[in-house]
Amino acid sequence: MNKPRHVVMQVVKRSSGSATHHVEFLMDDNFAERLRQLRSLVPPLGALNKQRDLVIDKVRVRLPNAIWRSGNEIAIDGGVDGSCIVIAAEGSFNCGGKDRRTREKLVTYNFSIARLIELHGERPEGETLYIRDGVFANDEPAESPAGRWVASMHELEVVMRVPDAPSDFDTLHDLTLRADGQPTQAGALSPHRASIY
């Protein structure tokens, strides 16, 4: 992946409206190019195609690796159904899904695809892009609602950030490897550390 970075977007929840509901996904150069390609599939709305019987003005694509958070809860276990990005004819996108537990619709404000790609190209490598109420919030004043939201996301990030790509070894919770490669119980002490070389 070239220039990977996180994008965090505030989720508008109809019942509670809490600012702590948000979705996080990983973006890189390939992701940006894919957004460009998908945007080209949605024709602009004009007088000609408005008169047709069937007009496609949106494209919905799955976003399976997104992490959805509701307050201090995290839905890594797939607690959100239909995680997706919806790309509109106007050149904007939003993230959507449905909370499996409450059946509540989760959606973010629209954000410009061109602006997201521009930010990805201009901002320092590895910087997380925070988008609140459809506005890029990284440069907002600290005392503004957007600035306070970004600060709260930084606090949550320290506690809750999930590894981008957990290794396959993370599935072996109860076992550790001895130097000879044989599994032992996690509580047993081994005098040597396992080596991958």
Side-chain angles (χ1 to χ4, degrees), residues 147-165:
R148 289 192 297 272
W149 179 73
V150 170
S152 71
M153 292 298 103
H154 282 298
E155 291 170 12
L156 281 175
E157 186 177 285
V158 172
V159 177
M160 301 174 63
R161 173 58 58 92
V162 175
D164 298 329

Side-chain angles (χ1 to χ4, degrees), residues 41 61 71 106 117 131 177 181 183 186:
L41 296 177
V61 291
L106 306 170
I117 292 170
I131 300 170
L177 292 178

Side-chain angles (χ1 to χ4, degrees), residues 148-192:
R148 289 192 297 272
W149 179 73
V150 170
S152 71
M153 292 298 103
H154 282 298
E155 291 170 12
L156 281 175
E157 186 177 285
V158 172
V159 177
M160 301 174 63
R161 173 58 58 92
V162 175
D164 298 329
S167 76
D168 293 336
F169 298 111
D170 292 342
T171 61
L172 302 173
H173 297 295
D174 296 286
L175 300 174
T176 57
L177 292 178
R178 293 194 319 233
D180 61 4
Q182 296 299 314
T184 64
Q185 287 301 327
L189 295 175
S190 174
H192 307 289

Side-chain angles (χ1 to χ4, degrees), residues 137-152:
N138 291 42
D139 298 331
E140 294 295 307
E143 67 278 1
S144 70
R148 289 192 297 272
W149 179 73
V150 170
S152 71

Side-chain angles (χ1 to χ4, degrees), residues 119-134:
L119 288 168
H120 176 62
E122 292 176 354
R123 302 300 288 200
E125 193 168 333
E127 178 186 15
T128 299
L129 304 180
Y130 294 95
I131 300 170
R132 180 184 189 271
D133 296 341

Side-chain angles (χ1 to χ4, degrees), residues 30-59:
N30 296 330
F31 188 96
E33 182 55 34
R34 186 76 175 122
L35 271 180
R36 257 195 221 97
Q37 292 169 357
L38 289 165
R39 170 64 188 97
S40 70
L41 296 177
V42 190
L45 285 176
L48 183 63
N49 60 9
K50 277 184 183 175
Q51 295 170 359
R52 296 182 182 166
D53 292 335
L54 180 64
V55 176
I56 297 172
D57 65 346
K58 286 184 173 64
V59 170

